[in-house]
């Protein structure tokens, strides 16, 4: 309740709905900057493809991967990328919508 009151004070918040006890769809966005030597890039790209993630930036020694999904999917991707070395991770936090009614 306190969080809701604080969020209503923000100008850009139009509506808040508590979905804790409702059927909902939750997603999160994550960006991973992964160490990627040229000879190992294809492995990282293959992992990204399996998770339906996108390569959004290519550096001399890094790849930046964008992924969306639930917490378990992003945690799994993070665990696999740790073997290559993660330079940075940024996650948005959850966004959610209630599921459509079955009427």
């Amino acid at each position: 309740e306190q969080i809701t009151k604080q969020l209503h004070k923000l100008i850009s918040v139009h509506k808040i709905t508590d979905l804790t006890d409702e059927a909902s769809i939750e997603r999160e966005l994550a960006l991973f900057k992964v160490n990627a030597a040229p000879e190992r890039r294809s492995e990282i790209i293959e992992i990204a493809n399996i998770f339906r993630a996108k390569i959004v930036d290519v550096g001399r020694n890094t790849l930046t991967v964008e992924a969306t999904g639930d917490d378990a999917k992003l945690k799994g991707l993070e665990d696999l990328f740790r073997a290559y070395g993660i330079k940075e991770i940024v996650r948005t936090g959850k966004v959610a919508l209630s599921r459509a009614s079955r009427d």
Side-chain angles (χ1 to χ4, degrees), residues 15-29 69 92-100:
K15 182 178 179 182
I16 300 166
T17 305
D18 185 358
L19 298 173
T20 305
D21 298 325
E22 294 185 35
S24 62
I25 301 166
E26 298 178 348
R27 294 290 183 266
E28 188 173 348
L29 169 69
T92 60
K94 291 181 184 178
V95 294
L97 283 173
S98 60
R99 288 199 173 270

Side-chain angles (χ1 to χ4, degrees), residues 53-86:
K54 292 191 272 184
I55 307 299
V56 294
D57 188 50
V58 178
R60 181 172 277 153
N61 295 307
T62 61
L63 289 175
T64 302
V65 181
E66 171 190 307
T68 58
D70 60 18
D71 188 55
K73 176 181 175 180
L74 297 180
K75 180 71 175 130
L77 193 53
E78 180 180 339
D79 290 344
L80 289 171
F81 284 157
R82 285 215 182 276
Y84 299 93
I86 298 174

